[in-house]
Amino acid sequence: QQHHFHELRFVGSRPSNNTSNHQSTSSMMPSYTSLFVAAMAAATTSAFTTNFPSTQISSSSSSSTALFMSSTPELTKQCFLDGKKIRGPITPLGNFVLVRTKDTLDATDGGILLPDQAKDRPTEGEVVAAGPGKLHPHTGVRITIPVTTGDSVLFGKFDGHDMKYNEEPVTMIRDDDVLLYYKGVRMTLANVIPCRDYVLVAIEKQKTETSSGIVVAETVMKDYNPCEGKVAKVGEGRMTSTGEFSTPPCKEGDFVKFRDYAGNEVKIEGKEYSLVRMVDILTSIPAP
């Protein structure tokens, strides 16, 4: 009991000592605090005055803001989609491509460019924006899009979704809808590139006379779609699940036969061609 009494008396006497110590310490705080605040104020005032004056901060901030706004005009430009105002420019997702349609041009013998009046031919356009490509559902490999902004493309007439973007007719298509692409004002055999697994085949003119000498009227043959010809250009091949291209079944100069009505007719420099997928080619005869 005596031991507990002394212990309690000792514990009871400790707060009075701590209180006196706290009071003596707190009495010294104002002097240290005032010196610390004064030193920090002097140092802070000197640093900002030398390196970042108030007038320079405001001017630099306004100039940088003006530069940012002038360097990104698309942020301030008003965009409209089908007559309705939207927040900003359209950014295609996945394997979608935004295309600005244009008239297909054909050249006369004198070099004059005329619009192609054929209604059943593929549509020609210019790439406005393209997505990053789609991910393969099994491997997760991104299948990139072969075209970029500014490229001219040829796609099926009934492919895609037509819209009006900033009062201009556009079409949203997929990368699989692109038949061929090129750079330049018009298509030539030198600048066109078949897209992925497409093959450009030069169609030979059909004979209007049989082997026995019977002449067949041209009106009878007008609806006949030839399914053979000479390979003019070959695409890279179909992209596999690993991101690599498959080997094309033919090469330039080969004679090929393909399924009936499998080709997409296109006229390049006044000559008839057909764009055929590699899987639709039935046989290939190597060039001699």
Side-chain angles (χ1 to χ4, degrees), residues 141-158:
V141 175
R142 185 173 296 279
I143 301 176
T144 58
I145 297 178
V147 296
T148 57
T149 302
D151 290 349
S152 295
V153 297
L154 201 69
F155 57 96
K157 183 173 182 61
F158 301 102

Side-chain angles (χ1 to χ4, degrees), residues 142-184:
R142 185 173 296 279
I143 301 176
T144 58
I145 297 178
V147 296
T148 57
T149 302
D151 290 349
S152 295
V153 297
L154 201 69
F155 57 96
K157 183 173 182 61
F158 301 102
D159 292 337
H161 177 72
D162 295 332
M163 302 180 297
K164 182 168 285 188
Y165 179 52
N166 292 336
E167 304 302 326
E168 192 174 14
V170 295
T171 304
M172 187 71 77
I173 62 175
R174 295 180 182 270
D175 60 344
D176 294 334
D177 300 328
V178 179
L179 304 176
L180 60 79
Y181 58 96
Y182 64 94
K183 296 182 183 295

Side-chain angles (χ1 to χ4, degrees), residues 7-152:
E7 188 175 21
L8 291 174
R9 185 176 60 181
F10 175 77
V11 172
S13 63
R14 181 174 295 178
S16 61
N17 295 335
N18 289 341
T19 303
S20 60
N21 292 337
H22 177 69
Q23 291 177 355
S24 61
T25 304
S26 60
S27 62
M28 298 173 62
M29 284 297 293
S31 59
Y32 289 111
T33 304
S34 58
L35 291 176
F36 177 75
V37 172
M40 288 298 297
T44 305
T45 305
S46 174
F48 276 88
T49 304
T50 304
N51 298 328
F52 304 100
S54 59
T55 56
Q56 292 183 3
I57 291 175
S58 60
S59 61
S60 61
S61 176
S62 59
S63 61
S64 61
T65 304
L67 178 61
F68 176 76
M69 296 301 293
S70 62
S71 62
T72 55
E74 64 274 6
L75 296 179
T76 58
K77 180 181 177 181
Q78 294 184 352
C79 298
F80 295 88
L81 181 63
D82 292 336
K84 297 181 180 180
K85 185 178 178 180
I86 57 178
R87 292 181 295 177
I90 293 178
T91 303
L93 303 177
N95 63 331
F96 282 99
V97 181
L98 183 64
V99 178
R100 180 189 298 112
T101 55
K102 62 180 181 180
D103 292 333
T104 303
L105 300 179
D106 192 14
T108 63
D109 295 336
I112 301 175
L113 298 178
L114 300 174
D116 192 352
Q117 300 300 325
K119 299 301 182 181
D120 56 347
R121 295 189 183 276
T123 307
E124 195 172 350
E126 181 183 356
V127 176
V128 178
K134 63 180 179 181
L135 297 176
H136 194 275
H138 301 298
T139 62
V141 175
R142 185 173 296 279
I143 301 176
T144 58
I145 297 178
V147 296
T148 57
T149 302
D151 290 349
S152 295

